[in-house]
Amino acid sequence: MTRQQLIAQAARTLEWAKIASAPLEEATMSVPAEHYTSERRWKLEQERIFKRLPLVLALSAELNEPNSYKALTVMGIPILLTRDAAGEVRSFVNMCSHRGAAVVESGMGTARRFTCPYHAWVYDNKGDLAGVFQRERFGDLDTSCKGLTPLPVAERAGLIFGGTVPEMPFDVDAFLCGYTSMLEEHALGACQYVGRVALRGSNWKLAYDGYLDFYHLPILHKRTFGADYNNLICGDAWGPHQRHMQPDARIMELAALAPEDWPQATLLAGVWTVFPHVSIASFRLGSERMYQIAQLFPGETPDSSTTILNFLAAFEPDDEQREEIDKQIDFLRSVVEFEDYATVATIQQALRSGAKSEFVFGRNEGQNQRFHSWVDRLVGADTPLDTYALFDGAKEFHHPQP
Ligand code: FES
Ligand SMILES: [Fe+2]
């Protein structure tokens, strides 16, 4: 069923490839320049988007062992993700019930128990308080209610979604708007985690915009991807989540094959986003499939963000492939860092001049248009109930045939 959907998308894209064109939006769209600088706007985006929605906090491949964990900080909130011996994922505020120290340092590993570095209270990976140092001298304590504070979490399609606020409304399936089965086609949960790069960037939307448009590819990336790189875009959406592919030579190869023989790798090509902060792009290493999965988080100020580039291999690499992977990671990191983010930094700097009151997204930048429309709608939702009502009412969008 889902493969049929992938085939339908590729078939529509193929029709555009045959005429070397792509669908256009009805009109251009302006976005106020202050949306990239305003403290007020940035705070609203954190409160109504990042603190209200399920975020991709980890990839299943990062915690694929029983008793593995990942400790991280998201928008200043310390989070501990664990997978127990039975494989169940949990999430907690990484904060000791005694006097609040972080129980685990940021990082990943395997552990059944976590010992707080301050006074050695011990927690198991289900979050229960399992030991109090010199218990007999401590005094009255009901240890049964002194576990770590749980946070909402759910694992879907090889991604670990979590909330950053205890007891917040959290419905990952409603949020994904039917996109889950499409994401599952990638089998990300079965991939090997092969690399990570952390980058500093500008305002999170300014950085994220670059993952949504193909318009810039043969221009900004002429020295890396090439000046004749295809920059046409065919995009579909499930609620705020989008998938876009290029009607390029690779799609044209499908014309010679019956749809049932269309290779899965081609059907999965392009960029897949998970709103509001993740971009998943597959690429080939020889005949094998790899992924670059970018996770963006707002930084400490409106003009800063952090990006984690995660790299997955859909195969078990040997030593030779390992070297190739490292070279490829280095190449992609340098494209993002020295071309995309370096350019975006010039925008952030120039915004201080106040010279432009708005930016404009073209009819050929529909993915950015849809992204900014969703940001606006979510920022305008007064309550979490209003937020989920937007997902309930969201329709799938499929780009038209020529
Ligand atoms: S703060 Fe953790 S044991 Fe005291
Ligand atoms: Fe780019």
Side-chain angles (χ1 to χ4, degrees), residues 96-101 103 116-121 123:
C96 184
S97 302
H98 175 218
R99 280 163 48 198
V103 177
C116 179
Y118 204 174
H119 314 90
W121 283 25
Y123 301 86

Side-chain angles (χ1 to χ4, degrees), residues 1 8 17 54 75 92 100 120 161 215 267 308 320 329 396:
M1 175 60 201
M75 296 176 302
F92 307 99
F161 291 90
Y215 188 28
L267 294 181
I308 312 293
E320 205 176 307
I329 290 176
E396 287 183 18

Side-chain angles (χ1 to χ4, degrees), residues 113-383:
R113 300 194 153 205
F114 304 97
T115 302
C116 179
Y118 204 174
H119 314 90
W121 283 25
V122 178
Y123 301 86
D124 64 24
N125 60 11
K126 296 185 164 109
D128 293 328
L129 179 60
V132 173
F133 180 57
Q134 297 181 338
R135 173 82 181 87
E136 66 291 350
R137 293 176 50 77
F138 193 82
D140 283 348
L141 190 71
D142 178 1
T143 53
S144 70
C145 60
K146 288 289 181 192
L148 298 172
T149 303
L151 290 168
V153 71
E155 194 167 18
R156 297 283 185 280
L159 304 172
I160 297 173
F161 291 90
T164 56
V165 181
E167 292 175 26
M168 64 190 261
F170 187 88
D171 183 342
V172 76
D173 296 314
F175 165 68
L176 283 170
C177 298
Y179 191 44
T180 319
S181 62
M182 302 299 288
L183 286 174
E184 278 169 351
E185 288 287 318
H186 290 281
L188 296 175
C191 287
Q192 308 276 320
Y193 194 88
V194 293
R196 168 203 311 273
V197 176
L199 296 172
R200 299 281 296 162
S202 303
N203 175 276
W204 71 276
K205 297 193 305 299
L206 218 42
Y208 199 56
D209 274 331
Y211 296 90
L212 300 172
D213 95 70
F214 286 165
Y215 188 28
H216 76 282
L217 297 181
I219 315 300
L220 184 59
H221 302 308
K222 59 182 175 294
R223 278 186 292 273
T224 45
F225 295 164
D228 52 2
Y229 204 81
N230 187 292
N231 73 340
L232 300 171
I233 193 163
C234 290
D236 287 2
W238 293 257
H241 316 291
Q242 311 199 68
R243 182 267 170 109
H244 31 297
M245 62 200 305
Q246 290 154 299
D248 59 6
R250 191 169 164 191
I251 289 292
M252 278 300 284
E253 288 170 15
L254 301 179
L257 301 170
E260 57 270 25
D261 297 329
W262 287 0
Q264 182 80 347
T266 309
L267 294 181
L268 294 175
V271 175
W272 298 63
T273 69
V274 181
F275 188 89
H277 70 143
V278 167
S279 141
I280 302 170
S282 59
F283 59 93
R284 286 189 203 174
L285 192 90
S287 60
E288 305 282 8
R289 191 164 80 243
M290 290 205 49
Y291 288 97
Q292 173 188 285
I293 302 184
Q295 279 167 291
L296 283 77
F297 295 99
E300 282 122 40
T301 52
D303 60 0
S304 69
S305 63
T306 302
T307 298
I308 312 293
L309 297 179
N310 303 275
F311 294 92
L312 298 184
F315 58 100
E316 186 84 53
D318 59 26
D319 288 349
E320 205 176 307
Q321 286 169 320
R322 209 43 261 197
E323 263 181 50
E324 284 305 308
I325 288 174
D326 289 343
K327 275 191 220 157
Q328 193 63 27
I329 290 176
D330 206 46
F331 169 71
L332 292 168
R333 176 199 55 77
S334 67
V335 170
V336 176
E337 185 173 8
F338 300 127
E339 295 182 351
D340 292 298
Y341 285 13
T343 303
V344 163
T346 70
I347 304 173
Q348 192 78 62
Q349 189 185 14
L351 278 164
R352 292 194 199 124
S353 70
K356 306 287 180 202
S357 59
E358 62 178 36
F359 292 150
V360 58
F361 289 98
R363 295 180 63 199
N364 56 345
E365 295 177 296
Q367 306 303 96
N368 302 73
Q369 293 196 17
R370 276 184 284 283
F371 167 69
H372 285 278
S373 300
W374 268 99
V375 170
D376 274 349
R377 292 162 73 190
L378 288 162
V379 162
D382 286 329
T383 68

